[in-house]
Amino acid sequence: TDVVDATEHLIGLADDFRPKRIDLGTVNGRRFVFACGAGLDASVVRRVDAHPKLKARAGQWYYTWAAVSGFYREYLRNPVRVAMETKGERAEGVTAIFQNSDPFTYFGERPVRIADGAELSNGRLSAAVLERAKQRDMPSIAARVLNDRLKASKHRHIEGFQDLTEARVESVSKDAHGNPRHFPIQVDGDYIGEFTEAEIGIEPRALTLVA
């Protein structure tokens, strides 16, 4: 019968299953597979997630609109600045990206590459910090993240890090009362909230995939 044939087919496929264990990144205890972003990147995701119908209908172009409008509204004049500390190093900027895999994401079929050296099974994270949000910097940054022949980490306002097992991100901007301003965080394209600090880590070989 068809059911028996289908079952035998599945059993035959099972003989070829090759389990693979991959790492998972963590941010404040929340796991992620591909990437985590704090700052400008996460504010784009927050705006997109607030309008799921437009997200589904317009896709990458809605992300583009959210990025441009969010940049002018939130980051051009008075952005929340964050500091990332890891392995005795410190970098300040308006966005911190952590990658567990490469590429960071896709714009349509085109890969978007930001941090160097990210792999799903090397037990390490890669990171990049965008130091400032200036209108004149955006064209050259966009050209680098969308072009495989250029490296985003070589941009003069992007600082790259590799082989990380832990890091800390905290707000260095203050509100009118002297309290730390909150910054948004996204994991794997999902907005998870506003924070004043975040602990980043990695869990090696935490997830088993069957390919």
Side-chain angles (χ1 to χ4, degrees), residues 19-86:
K20 178 181 180 180
R21 299 184 70 85
I22 66 170
D23 310 328
L24 293 176
T26 62
V27 52
N28 288 349
R30 170 75 177 259
R31 290 173 165 178
F32 61 89
V33 177
F34 304 110
C36 164
L40 175 58
D41 161 67
S43 71
V44 174
V45 173
R46 179 185 60 199
R47 291 169 67 82
V48 170
D49 282 354
H51 302 280
K53 291 184 179 179
L54 287 172
K55 175 182 177 180
R57 186 182 309 163
Q60 66 199 45
W61 301 111
Y62 186 58
Y63 275 92
T64 302
W65 174 86
V68 172
S69 62
F71 170 74
Y72 280 101
R73 179 177 297 182
E74 300 179 49
Y75 281 84
L76 190 59
R77 295 183 179 179
N78 188 27
V80 178
R81 294 189 61 80
V82 299
M84 192 271 281
E85 294 183 351
T86 180

Short mmCIF file of all heavy atoms in Angstrom, two decimals, residues 19-86:
data_model
loop_
_atom_site.label_atom_id
_atom_site.label_comp_id
_atom_site.label_asym_id
_atom_site.label_seq_id
_atom_site.Cartn_x
_atom_site.Cartn_y
_atom_site.Cartn_z
N PRO A 19 23.56 13.02 12.12
CA PRO A 19 23.40 14.05 13.16
C PRO A 19 24.62 14.95 13.24
O PRO A 19 25.76 14.51 13.07
CB PRO A 19 23.24 13.23 14.45
CG PRO A 19 22.80 11.88 13.99
CD PRO A 19 23.49 11.66 12.67
N LYS A 20 24.37 16.24 13.47
CA LYS A 20 25.44 17.22 13.62
C LYS A 20 25.10 18.12 14.79
O LYS A 20 23.98 18.61 14.90
CB LYS A 20 25.58 18.04 12.34
CG LYS A 20 26.64 19.13 12.43
CD LYS A 20 26.72 19.92 11.15
CE LYS A 20 27.78 21.01 11.24
NZ LYS A 20 27.86 21.81 9.98
N ARG A 21 26.06 18.34 15.65
CA ARG A 21 25.84 19.20 16.81
C ARG A 21 26.39 20.60 16.52
O ARG A 21 27.51 20.74 16.03
CB ARG A 21 26.49 18.61 18.06
CG ARG A 21 25.92 17.25 18.44
CD ARG A 21 26.53 16.74 19.74
NE ARG A 21 26.06 17.52 20.86
CZ ARG A 21 24.93 17.30 21.52
NH1 ARG A 21 24.11 16.34 21.13
NH2 ARG A 21 24.59 18.03 22.56
N ILE A 22 25.57 21.61 16.81
CA ILE A 22 25.98 22.99 16.58
C ILE A 22 25.91 23.78 17.88
O ILE A 22 25.25 23.38 18.84
CB ILE A 22 25.12 23.66 15.50
CG1 ILE A 22 23.67 23.81 15.99
CG2 ILE A 22 25.19 22.90 14.19
CD1 ILE A 22 22.81 24.68 15.09
N ASP A 23 26.59 24.92 17.87
CA ASP A 23 26.59 25.80 19.04
C ASP A 23 25.35 26.67 19.06
O ASP A 23 24.72 26.92 18.03
CB ASP A 23 27.82 26.72 19.01
CG ASP A 23 29.12 25.96 18.76
OD1 ASP A 23 29.20 24.79 19.21
OD2 ASP A 23 30.02 26.53 18.14
N LEU A 24 25.03 27.17 20.24
CA LEU A 24 23.97 28.17 20.40
C LEU A 24 24.54 29.36 21.17
O LEU A 24 25.21 29.19 22.18
CB LEU A 24 22.77 27.60 21.16
CG LEU A 24 21.96 26.51 20.47
CD1 LEU A 24 20.87 26.00 21.39
CD2 LEU A 24 21.35 27.01 19.17
N GLY A 25 24.28 30.54 20.66
CA GLY A 25 24.63 31.74 21.40
C GLY A 25 23.58 32.02 22.46
O GLY A 25 22.45 31.53 22.39
N THR A 26 23.93 32.85 23.44
CA THR A 26 22.98 33.23 24.49
C THR A 26 23.09 34.72 24.76
O THR A 26 24.19 35.30 24.69
CB THR A 26 23.22 32.47 25.80
OG1 THR A 26 24.52 32.79 26.32
CG2 THR A 26 23.12 30.97 25.58
N VAL A 27 21.96 35.34 25.09
CA VAL A 27 21.95 36.72 25.53
C VAL A 27 20.96 36.81 26.69
O VAL A 27 19.77 36.53 26.53
CB VAL A 27 21.58 37.71 24.40
CG1 VAL A 27 20.30 37.32 23.69
CG2 VAL A 27 21.50 39.14 24.94
N ASN A 28 21.46 37.13 27.86
CA ASN A 28 20.63 37.17 29.08
C ASN A 28 19.82 35.88 29.25
O ASN A 28 18.66 35.91 29.64
CB ASN A 28 19.71 38.38 29.07
CG ASN A 28 20.46 39.68 29.29
OD1 ASN A 28 21.64 39.69 29.65
ND2 ASN A 28 19.79 40.80 29.07
N GLY A 29 20.45 34.75 28.92
CA GLY A 29 19.80 33.45 29.08
C GLY A 29 18.95 33.02 27.91
O GLY A 29 18.51 31.87 27.86
N ARG A 30 18.70 33.91 26.96
CA ARG A 30 17.91 33.58 25.77
C ARG A 30 18.84 33.02 24.70
O ARG A 30 19.84 33.65 24.35
CB ARG A 30 17.19 34.82 25.26
CG ARG A 30 16.52 34.71 23.89
CD ARG A 30 15.24 33.90 23.95
NE ARG A 30 14.62 33.88 22.62
CZ ARG A 30 13.58 34.65 22.28
NH1 ARG A 30 13.05 35.50 23.15
NH2 ARG A 30 13.05 34.54 21.07
N ARG A 31 18.54 31.86 24.17
CA ARG A 31 19.38 31.23 23.16
C ARG A 31 19.10 31.79 21.77
O ARG A 31 17.98 32.18 21.47
CB ARG A 31 19.16 29.72 23.15
CG ARG A 31 19.70 29.00 24.38
CD ARG A 31 19.28 27.54 24.36
NE ARG A 31 20.04 26.74 25.30
CZ ARG A 31 19.83 25.44 25.51
NH1 ARG A 31 18.88 24.82 24.83
NH2 ARG A 31 20.57 24.77 26.38
N PHE A 32 20.13 31.78 20.93
CA PHE A 32 19.93 32.11 19.52
C PHE A 32 20.83 31.22 18.67
O PHE A 32 21.89 30.76 19.10
CB PHE A 32 20.20 33.59 19.24
CG PHE A 32 21.59 34.08 19.54
CD1 PHE A 32 22.60 34.03 18.58
CD2 PHE A 32 21.91 34.63 20.78
CE1 PHE A 32 23.87 34.50 18.84
CE2 PHE A 32 23.18 35.11 21.06
CZ PHE A 32 24.17 35.04 20.09
N VAL A 33 20.37 30.96 17.45
CA VAL A 33 21.11 30.09 16.53
C VAL A 33 22.07 30.91 15.68
O VAL A 33 23.24 30.56 15.53
CB VAL A 33 20.15 29.30 15.63
CG1 VAL A 33 20.93 28.44 14.63
CG2 VAL A 33 19.22 28.43 16.45
N PHE A 34 21.56 31.98 15.08
CA PHE A 34 22.33 32.69 14.06
C PHE A 34 22.99 33.97 14.56
O PHE A 34 24.20 34.14 14.42
CB PHE A 34 21.43 33.00 12.86
CG PHE A 34 20.78 31.79 12.28
CD1 PHE A 34 19.41 31.59 12.41
CD2 PHE A 34 21.53 30.83 11.61
CE1 PHE A 34 18.81 30.45 11.89
CE2 PHE A 34 20.94 29.70 11.08
CZ PHE A 34 19.57 29.50 11.22
N ALA A 35 22.20 34.88 15.11
CA ALA A 35 22.78 36.18 15.45
C ALA A 35 21.93 36.91 16.48
O ALA A 35 20.75 36.64 16.67
CB ALA A 35 22.92 37.05 14.20
N CYS A 36 22.59 37.86 17.13
CA CYS A 36 21.96 38.73 18.12
C CYS A 36 22.43 40.15 17.84
O CYS A 36 23.61 40.37 17.51
CB CYS A 36 22.35 38.29 19.52
SG CYS A 36 22.03 39.49 20.82
N GLY A 37 21.53 41.11 17.95
CA GLY A 37 21.90 42.50 17.72
C GLY A 37 21.37 43.40 18.82
O GLY A 37 20.24 43.21 19.29
N ALA A 38 22.18 44.36 19.25
CA ALA A 38 21.77 45.34 20.25
C ALA A 38 21.97 46.73 19.67
O ALA A 38 23.06 47.06 19.22
CB ALA A 38 22.60 45.18 21.52
N GLY A 39 20.90 47.53 19.66
CA GLY A 39 21.00 48.89 19.15
C GLY A 39 20.22 49.10 17.87
O GLY A 39 19.07 48.66 17.75
N LEU A 40 20.85 49.76 16.90
CA LEU A 40 20.17 50.14 15.66
C LEU A 40 19.55 48.94 14.94
O LEU A 40 18.40 48.99 14.50
CB LEU A 40 21.16 50.85 14.73
CG LEU A 40 20.66 51.22 13.33
CD1 LEU A 40 19.43 52.11 13.40
CD2 LEU A 40 21.78 51.91 12.55
N ASP A 41 20.30 47.86 14.84
CA ASP A 41 19.79 46.65 14.19
C ASP A 41 18.51 46.16 14.85
O ASP A 41 17.52 45.82 14.19
CB ASP A 41 20.88 45.57 14.24
CG ASP A 41 20.32 44.18 14.02
OD1 ASP A 41 19.86 43.90 12.91
OD2 ASP A 41 20.35 43.38 14.97
N ALA A 42 18.50 46.12 16.17
CA ALA A 42 17.33 45.64 16.89
C ALA A 42 16.15 46.61 16.79
O ALA A 42 14.99 46.18 16.81
CB ALA A 42 17.68 45.41 18.36
N SER A 43 16.43 47.90 16.69
CA SER A 43 15.33 48.87 16.55
C SER A 43 14.60 48.67 15.23
O SER A 43 13.39 48.88 15.13
CB SER A 43 15.86 50.30 16.67
OG SER A 43 16.63 50.67 15.54
N VAL A 44 15.34 48.24 14.19
CA VAL A 44 14.71 47.93 12.90
C VAL A 44 13.77 46.74 13.06
O VAL A 44 12.62 46.77 12.60
CB VAL A 44 15.78 47.63 11.83
CG1 VAL A 44 15.12 47.16 10.53
CG2 VAL A 44 16.63 48.85 11.57
N VAL A 45 14.24 45.69 13.72
CA VAL A 45 13.42 44.50 13.94
C VAL A 45 12.19 44.84 14.76
O VAL A 45 11.09 44.36 14.49
CB VAL A 45 14.25 43.39 14.62
CG1 VAL A 45 13.37 42.21 14.99
CG2 VAL A 45 15.38 42.94 13.70
N ARG A 46 12.36 45.68 15.77
CA ARG A 46 11.22 46.10 16.61
C ARG A 46 10.15 46.78 15.77
O ARG A 46 8.95 46.48 15.90
CB ARG A 46 11.71 47.04 17.70
CG ARG A 46 10.61 47.57 18.62
CD ARG A 46 11.18 48.59 19.59
NE ARG A 46 11.78 49.72 18.88
CZ ARG A 46 12.66 50.55 19.43
NH1 ARG A 46 13.05 50.39 20.68
NH2 ARG A 46 13.15 51.56 18.72
N ARG A 47 10.55 47.68 14.88
CA ARG A 47 9.59 48.39 14.03
C ARG A 47 8.92 47.44 13.06
O ARG A 47 7.71 47.54 12.81
CB ARG A 47 10.31 49.51 13.28
CG ARG A 47 10.75 50.66 14.18
CD ARG A 47 11.68 51.61 13.45
NE ARG A 47 10.99 52.33 12.37
CZ ARG A 47 10.25 53.42 12.55
NH1 ARG A 47 10.10 53.91 13.77
NH2 ARG A 47 9.68 54.02 11.53
N VAL A 48 9.67 46.50 12.51
CA VAL A 48 9.10 45.54 11.56
C VAL A 48 8.13 44.61 12.26
O VAL A 48 7.04 44.33 11.75
CB VAL A 48 10.23 44.76 10.87
CG1 VAL A 48 9.65 43.59 10.06
CG2 VAL A 48 11.04 45.67 9.95
N ASP A 49 8.49 44.10 13.43
CA ASP A 49 7.63 43.17 14.16
C ASP A 49 6.32 43.82 14.60
O ASP A 49 5.32 43.13 14.83
CB ASP A 49 8.36 42.63 15.39
CG ASP A 49 9.36 41.54 15.03
OD1 ASP A 49 9.40 41.15 13.85
OD2 ASP A 49 10.10 41.08 15.93
N ALA A 50 6.32 45.14 14.72
CA ALA A 50 5.10 45.84 15.12
C ALA A 50 4.05 45.85 14.02
O ALA A 50 2.88 46.17 14.28
CB ALA A 50 5.43 47.26 15.56
N HIS A 51 4.45 45.50 12.79
CA HIS A 51 3.52 45.52 11.65
C HIS A 51 3.67 44.23 10.84
O HIS A 51 4.22 44.23 9.74
CB HIS A 51 3.79 46.74 10.77
CG HIS A 51 3.69 48.04 11.49
ND1 HIS A 51 2.47 48.65 11.77
CD2 HIS A 51 4.64 48.85 12.02
CE1 HIS A 51 2.69 49.77 12.43
NE2 HIS A 51 3.99 49.91 12.60
N PRO A 52 3.20 43.10 11.39
CA PRO A 52 3.42 41.80 10.75
C PRO A 52 2.82 41.69 9.35
O PRO A 52 3.38 41.00 8.49
CB PRO A 52 2.77 40.81 11.72
CG PRO A 52 1.81 41.63 12.54
CD PRO A 52 2.45 42.97 12.65
N LYS A 53 1.71 42.36 9.08
CA LYS A 53 1.10 42.27 7.75
C LYS A 53 1.98 42.93 6.71
O LYS A 53 2.17 42.40 5.61
CB LYS A 53 -0.29 42.89 7.77
CG LYS A 53 -1.32 42.10 8.58
CD LYS A 53 -2.70 42.73 8.48
CE LYS A 53 -3.72 41.91 9.27
NZ LYS A 53 -5.08 42.52 9.21
N LEU A 54 2.52 44.11 7.04
CA LEU A 54 3.42 44.78 6.11
C LEU A 54 4.71 43.99 5.95
O LEU A 54 5.29 43.93 4.86
CB LEU A 54 3.73 46.19 6.61
CG LEU A 54 2.61 47.22 6.47
CD1 LEU A 54 2.99 48.51 7.16
CD2 LEU A 54 2.32 47.47 4.99
N LYS A 55 5.16 43.36 7.03
CA LYS A 55 6.36 42.53 6.98
C LYS A 55 6.17 41.38 6.00
O LYS A 55 7.06 41.10 5.17
CB LYS A 55 6.66 41.98 8.38
CG LYS A 55 7.82 41.00 8.45
CD LYS A 55 7.99 40.50 9.87
CE LYS A 55 9.09 39.46 9.97
NZ LYS A 55 9.25 38.96 11.37
N ALA A 56 5.01 40.72 6.06
CA ALA A 56 4.75 39.60 5.17
C ALA A 56 4.55 40.06 3.73
O ALA A 56 4.94 39.37 2.79
CB ALA A 56 3.52 38.84 5.66
N ARG A 57 3.93 41.23 3.55
CA ARG A 57 3.59 41.70 2.22
C ARG A 57 4.80 42.30 1.49
O ARG A 57 5.02 42.02 0.31
CB ARG A 57 2.48 42.74 2.30
CG ARG A 57 1.93 43.20 0.96
CD ARG A 57 0.88 44.27 1.19
NE ARG A 57 -0.12 43.82 2.16
CZ ARG A 57 -0.96 44.65 2.78
NH1 ARG A 57 -0.89 45.96 2.56
NH2 ARG A 57 -1.83 44.17 3.64
N ALA A 58 5.59 43.11 2.18
CA ALA A 58 6.66 43.85 1.51
C ALA A 58 8.03 43.22 1.70
O ALA A 58 8.96 43.55 0.97
CB ALA A 58 6.68 45.29 2.01
N GLY A 59 8.19 42.32 2.69
CA GLY A 59 9.45 41.60 2.85
C GLY A 59 10.64 42.51 3.07
O GLY A 59 10.63 43.40 3.91
N GLN A 60 11.69 42.28 2.27
CA GLN A 60 12.95 42.99 2.45
C GLN A 60 12.81 44.49 2.28
O GLN A 60 13.55 45.27 2.90
CB GLN A 60 13.98 42.46 1.45
CG GLN A 60 13.65 42.77 0.00
CD GLN A 60 14.39 41.88 -0.97
OE1 GLN A 60 14.46 40.67 -0.78
NE2 GLN A 60 14.94 42.47 -2.01
N TRP A 61 11.85 44.93 1.47
CA TRP A 61 11.69 46.36 1.24
C TRP A 61 11.09 47.05 2.46
O TRP A 61 11.37 48.22 2.72
CB TRP A 61 10.85 46.61 -0.01
CG TRP A 61 11.49 45.98 -1.21
CD1 TRP A 61 11.05 44.91 -1.93
CD2 TRP A 61 12.75 46.36 -1.80
NE1 TRP A 61 11.93 44.60 -2.93
CE2 TRP A 61 12.99 45.48 -2.88
CE3 TRP A 61 13.69 47.35 -1.53
CZ2 TRP A 61 14.12 45.56 -3.67
CZ3 TRP A 61 14.82 47.44 -2.32
CH2 TRP A 61 15.03 46.56 -3.38
N TYR A 62 10.29 46.32 3.21
CA TYR A 62 9.77 46.89 4.45
C TYR A 62 10.89 47.02 5.49
O TYR A 62 10.96 48.00 6.24
CB TYR A 62 8.63 46.05 5.01
CG TYR A 62 7.97 46.68 6.21
CD1 TYR A 62 7.39 47.94 6.13
CD2 TYR A 62 7.95 46.03 7.44
CE1 TYR A 62 6.80 48.54 7.24
CE2 TYR A 62 7.36 46.61 8.54
CZ TYR A 62 6.79 47.87 8.43
OH TYR A 62 6.22 48.45 9.53
N TYR A 63 11.80 46.04 5.50
CA TYR A 63 12.98 46.15 6.37
C TYR A 63 13.80 47.38 5.98
O TYR A 63 14.32 48.10 6.84
CB TYR A 63 13.84 44.89 6.25
CG TYR A 63 13.42 43.76 7.16
CD1 TYR A 63 12.54 42.79 6.71
CD2 TYR A 63 13.90 43.67 8.46
CE1 TYR A 63 12.15 41.73 7.53
CE2 TYR A 63 13.53 42.62 9.29
CZ TYR A 63 12.65 41.66 8.82
OH TYR A 63 12.26 40.63 9.64
N THR A 64 13.93 47.61 4.69
CA THR A 64 14.70 48.77 4.23
C THR A 64 14.06 50.06 4.69
O THR A 64 14.73 50.97 5.20
CB THR A 64 14.80 48.76 2.69
OG1 THR A 64 15.41 47.54 2.26
CG2 THR A 64 15.62 49.94 2.20
N TRP A 65 12.74 50.16 4.53
CA TRP A 65 12.03 51.36 4.99
C TRP A 65 12.19 51.53 6.50
O TRP A 65 12.44 52.65 6.98
CB TRP A 65 10.54 51.27 4.64
CG TRP A 65 9.76 52.40 5.22
CD1 TRP A 65 9.55 53.64 4.69
CD2 TRP A 65 9.09 52.41 6.50
NE1 TRP A 65 8.81 54.42 5.54
CE2 TRP A 65 8.51 53.70 6.67
CE3 TRP A 65 8.92 51.47 7.52
CZ2 TRP A 65 7.78 54.05 7.79
CZ3 TRP A 65 8.20 51.82 8.65
CH2 TRP A 65 7.64 53.10 8.77
N ALA A 66 12.05 50.43 7.27
CA ALA A 66 12.18 50.52 8.72
C ALA A 66 13.58 50.95 9.12
O ALA A 66 13.75 51.71 10.08
CB ALA A 66 11.83 49.16 9.35
N ALA A 67 14.59 50.47 8.39
CA ALA A 67 15.97 50.84 8.70
C ALA A 67 16.21 52.32 8.45
O ALA A 67 16.79 53.02 9.28
CB ALA A 67 16.93 49.99 7.87
N VAL A 68 15.76 52.81 7.30
CA VAL A 68 15.99 54.21 6.95
C VAL A 68 15.22 55.14 7.89
O VAL A 68 15.77 56.10 8.44
CB VAL A 68 15.60 54.47 5.49
CG1 VAL A 68 15.66 55.96 5.17
CG2 VAL A 68 16.52 53.69 4.55
N SER A 69 13.93 54.86 8.08
CA SER A 69 13.12 55.73 8.93
C SER A 69 13.58 55.67 10.38
O SER A 69 13.62 56.70 11.08
CB SER A 69 11.64 55.35 8.82
OG SER A 69 11.41 54.02 9.26
N GLY A 70 13.94 54.47 10.86
CA GLY A 70 14.42 54.34 12.23
C GLY A 70 15.74 55.05 12.44
O GLY A 70 15.97 55.65 13.50
N PHE A 71 16.59 55.00 11.45
CA PHE A 71 17.88 55.69 11.53
C PHE A 71 17.67 57.19 11.70
O PHE A 71 18.27 57.81 12.58
CB PHE A 71 18.70 55.39 10.27
CG PHE A 71 19.93 56.23 10.13
CD1 PHE A 71 21.04 55.98 10.91
CD2 PHE A 71 19.98 57.28 9.22
CE1 PHE A 71 22.19 56.76 10.79
CE2 PHE A 71 21.11 58.06 9.09
CZ PHE A 71 22.22 57.79 9.87
N TYR A 72 16.82 57.77 10.89
CA TYR A 72 16.60 59.22 10.98
C TYR A 72 15.85 59.61 12.26
O TYR A 72 16.11 60.66 12.83
CB TYR A 72 15.84 59.70 9.75
CG TYR A 72 16.72 59.90 8.54
CD1 TYR A 72 16.75 58.95 7.53
CD2 TYR A 72 17.53 61.02 8.43
CE1 TYR A 72 17.58 59.11 6.43
CE2 TYR A 72 18.35 61.19 7.32
CZ TYR A 72 18.38 60.24 6.33
OH TYR A 72 19.20 60.41 5.24
N ARG A 73 14.95 58.75 12.70
CA ARG A 73 14.13 59.09 13.86
C ARG A 73 14.86 58.90 15.17
O ARG A 73 14.74 59.71 16.10
CB ARG A 73 12.85 58.27 13.84
CG ARG A 73 11.93 58.53 15.04
CD ARG A 73 10.65 57.73 14.93
NE ARG A 73 9.87 58.10 13.74
CZ ARG A 73 8.68 57.56 13.43
NH1 ARG A 73 8.16 56.64 14.21
NH2 ARG A 73 8.05 57.95 12.36
N GLU A 74 15.63 57.80 15.30
CA GLU A 74 16.18 57.43 16.60
C GLU A 74 17.70 57.56 16.72
O GLU A 74 18.22 57.69 17.83
CB GLU A 74 15.80 55.98 16.92
CG GLU A 74 14.30 55.73 16.99
CD GLU A 74 13.99 54.27 17.29
OE1 GLU A 74 14.59 53.73 18.23
OE2 GLU A 74 13.18 53.67 16.56
N TYR A 75 18.41 57.49 15.61
CA TYR A 75 19.86 57.34 15.72
C TYR A 75 20.68 58.48 15.12
O TYR A 75 21.88 58.57 15.38
CB TYR A 75 20.30 56.00 15.10
CG TYR A 75 20.03 54.86 16.04
CD1 TYR A 75 18.79 54.26 16.09
CD2 TYR A 75 21.02 54.40 16.91
CE1 TYR A 75 18.52 53.23 16.98
CE2 TYR A 75 20.76 53.38 17.80
CZ TYR A 75 19.51 52.80 17.83
OH TYR A 75 19.26 51.79 18.73
N LEU A 76 20.07 59.32 14.33
CA LEU A 76 20.85 60.36 13.69
C LEU A 76 21.22 61.48 14.67
O LEU A 76 22.33 62.01 14.64
CB LEU A 76 20.08 60.94 12.50
CG LEU A 76 20.87 61.89 11.59
CD1 LEU A 76 22.09 61.17 11.01
CD2 LEU A 76 19.98 62.40 10.46
N ARG A 77 20.31 61.82 15.58
CA ARG A 77 20.54 62.95 16.47
C ARG A 77 21.03 62.55 17.86
O ARG A 77 22.00 63.09 18.35
CB ARG A 77 19.25 63.78 16.59
CG ARG A 77 18.83 64.44 15.28
CD ARG A 77 17.60 65.30 15.49
NE ARG A 77 17.19 65.98 14.26
CZ ARG A 77 16.14 66.77 14.16
NH1 ARG A 77 15.38 67.01 15.24
NH2 ARG A 77 15.84 67.35 13.00
N ASN A 78 20.33 61.63 18.51
CA ASN A 78 20.66 61.32 19.89
C ASN A 78 20.56 59.81 20.14
O ASN A 78 19.70 59.35 20.89
CB ASN A 78 19.71 62.07 20.83
CG ASN A 78 20.12 61.94 22.29
OD1 ASN A 78 21.30 61.75 22.60
ND2 ASN A 78 19.15 62.01 23.18
N PRO A 79 21.43 59.04 19.53
CA PRO A 79 21.34 57.58 19.66
C PRO A 79 21.73 57.10 21.05
O PRO A 79 22.53 57.74 21.75
CB PRO A 79 22.33 57.08 18.61
CG PRO A 79 23.35 58.16 18.53
CD PRO A 79 22.58 59.44 18.70
N VAL A 80 21.18 55.97 21.44
CA VAL A 80 21.64 55.30 22.65
C VAL A 80 22.98 54.65 22.33
O VAL A 80 23.09 53.89 21.37
CB VAL A 80 20.64 54.22 23.11
CG1 VAL A 80 21.18 53.50 24.34
CG2 VAL A 80 19.29 54.83 23.40
N ARG A 81 23.98 54.96 23.12
CA ARG A 81 25.30 54.36 22.91
C ARG A 81 25.50 53.21 23.88
O ARG A 81 25.07 53.27 25.04
CB ARG A 81 26.40 55.41 23.07
CG ARG A 81 26.37 56.49 22.00
CD ARG A 81 27.61 57.38 22.07
NE ARG A 81 28.85 56.64 21.85
CZ ARG A 81 29.32 56.30 20.63
NH1 ARG A 81 28.63 56.61 19.55
NH2 ARG A 81 30.46 55.64 20.52
N VAL A 82 26.16 52.18 23.38
CA VAL A 82 26.44 51.01 24.19
C VAL A 82 27.93 50.74 24.21
O VAL A 82 28.67 51.14 23.29
CB VAL A 82 25.70 49.75 23.68
CG1 VAL A 82 24.19 49.98 23.72
CG2 VAL A 82 26.15 49.38 22.26
N ALA A 83 28.39 50.07 25.26
CA ALA A 83 29.78 49.64 25.35
C ALA A 83 29.80 48.12 25.38
O ALA A 83 29.03 47.49 26.11
CB ALA A 83 30.44 50.20 26.60
N MET A 84 30.67 47.53 24.56
CA MET A 84 30.85 46.09 24.55
C MET A 84 32.22 45.77 25.12
O MET A 84 33.24 46.30 24.67
CB MET A 84 30.72 45.54 23.12
CG MET A 84 30.60 44.01 23.07
SD MET A 84 32.20 43.18 22.97
CE MET A 84 32.57 43.40 21.23
N GLU A 85 32.27 44.90 26.13
CA GLU A 85 33.52 44.50 26.75
C GLU A 85 33.72 43.00 26.59
O GLU A 85 32.79 42.22 26.84
CB GLU A 85 33.55 44.88 28.23
CG GLU A 85 33.52 46.37 28.50
CD GLU A 85 33.62 46.70 29.97
OE1 GLU A 85 33.54 45.76 30.79
OE2 GLU A 85 33.80 47.88 30.31
N THR A 86 34.92 42.59 26.20
CA THR A 86 35.23 41.18 26.06
C THR A 86 36.74 40.98 26.04
O THR A 86 37.47 41.78 25.44
CB THR A 86 34.63 40.61 24.76
OG1 THR A 86 34.95 39.22 24.66
CG2 THR A 86 35.14 41.33 23.53
#
